[in-house]
Amino acid sequence: MATEKQLRHLGIICDGNRRWAKERGLPTLEGHLSGFERVKLLVDAFLPTEIEFMSFFLFSTENWGRSETEVNYLMQLVRTKLPSLIKKLEKNNLRLAVMGRPDPVDPKLWASLMEAEERTAKNTGKTVAICFNYGGQWEIVDAANRAIARGEPILDPADFAKNLYHPEIPACDVIARTSGEQRISGFQLWRAAYAEFMFLDKFFPALETSDLDSILDEFHGRQRRFGK
């Protein structure tokens, strides 16, 4: 059974891909490719840990404002790299959860994400959540609209939480952001209520397994009061 001392859900805001590439004299788009490969490394790294859920903020509802070239590259990257990620999840009995909105994602790409969810839905191990076309305010709005559509009274926060994207995913115990920026950019606003925040100076493509160990050590050195 999970306890307050267990880091059950780690959320990662994957920031700094473009700056990582620029520092190395690489085309900035290559930073996104390296970032995606880093997701797979971290999936391997969290397998033997106490962490049960790991969520990655890969593309926000605001990221559509980036250049058409970059957005198209990111969509194609997900399209082409998704199969290798799913293969890794299936090999390790992991479940995929996609958190986000289908519109305006290309319907074929969204369908492939939903198919990937379905392929791993019966796996009984840990969960990897991909926050794709995700916005924290949108998740709350969508949850409210879902509750209204169901005609169910919202009596308390627990009732409301049943309408979130993948409500089986628990609150974040830690939210870690890479690249040294100290903001959460709308990441999992509802689940962030009592999260511990950690801001890492490294760019996301530079993360190593040892950084995950450091997050766990830091978490276990903190005292969580939950308002008590």
Side-chain angles (χ1 to χ4, degrees):
M1 179 179 294
T3 69
E4 294 179 4
K5 295 183 180 297
Q6 178 186 351
L7 201 175
R8 191 179 180 210
H9 180 187
L10 170 61
I12 301 180
I13 302 173
C14 310
D15 194 24
N17 292 345
R18 295 181 295 181
R19 281 169 284 171
W20 177 88
K22 186 175 181 180
E23 276 193 353
R24 287 155 180 77
L26 300 171
T28 55
L29 295 182
E30 287 194 20
H32 294 308
L33 175 59
S34 295
F36 199 92
E37 293 302 319
R38 198 58 35 166
V39 168
K40 292 193 287 186
L41 181 146
L42 291 171
V43 167
D44 284 332
F46 98 115
L47 286 172
T49 72
E50 68 193 56
I51 302 168
E52 298 175 17
F53 299 84
M54 183 176 285
S55 55
F56 297 92
F57 199 6
L58 297 185
F59 190 85
S60 76
T61 50
E62 290 71 41
N63 287 155
W64 294 102
R66 295 186 177 186
S67 72
E68 183 178 355
T69 298
E70 183 174 2
V71 169
N72 289 341
Y73 180 87
L74 287 165
M75 296 299 120
Q76 184 62 18
L77 183 62
V78 173
R79 185 177 289 107
T80 57
K81 295 298 182 180
L82 182 62
S84 62
L85 176 61
I86 298 309
K87 184 177 180 180
K88 177 179 288 293
L89 299 184
E90 290 184 316
K91 179 181 178 181
N92 292 286
N93 192 34
L94 302 177
R95 191 172 70 94
L96 176 70
V98 179
M99 301 169 67
R101 315 188 86 228
D103 185 55
V105 179
D106 178 79
K108 290 183 179 179
L109 176 55
W110 191 261
S112 68
L113 290 167
M114 295 301 97
E115 180 183 352
E117 268 197 352
E118 183 64 25
R119 281 178 57 182
T120 64
K122 294 183 180 179
N123 290 347
T124 58
K126 301 182 177 189
T127 297
V128 174
I130 301 298
C131 296
F132 182 73
N133 193 32
Y134 174 88
Q137 291 177 329
W138 272 115
E139 180 176 19
I140 293 171
V141 169
D142 287 342
N145 286 329
R146 192 172 294 114
I148 292 169
R150 290 177 176 175
E152 298 175 356
I154 300 300
L155 302 177
D156 56 36
D159 287 331
F160 186 84
K162 295 174 184 176
N163 297 284
L164 296 172
Y165 306 148
H166 284 283
E168 76 281 3
I169 296 177
C172 294
D173 296 297
V174 170
I175 292 177
R177 183 178 186 133
T178 56
S179 85
E181 303 290 350
Q182 297 189 17
R183 57 181 181 271
I184 63 172
S185 301
F187 181 62
Q188 302 208 50
L189 294 177
W190 185 274
R191 293 181 178 88
Y194 278 99
E196 297 292 318
F197 291 94
M198 300 184 190
F199 300 104
L200 313 180
D201 289 331
K202 286 186 173 182
F203 297 132
F204 182 67
L207 284 190
E208 301 290 349
T209 300
S210 59
D211 294 303
L212 186 57
D213 294 333
S214 296
I215 288 171
L216 282 160
D217 288 343
E218 172 70 16
F219 173 79
H220 288 298
R222 295 189 184 185
Q223 184 177 1
R224 307 182 77 192
R225 296 187 177 86
F226 297 95
K228 298 175 184 177

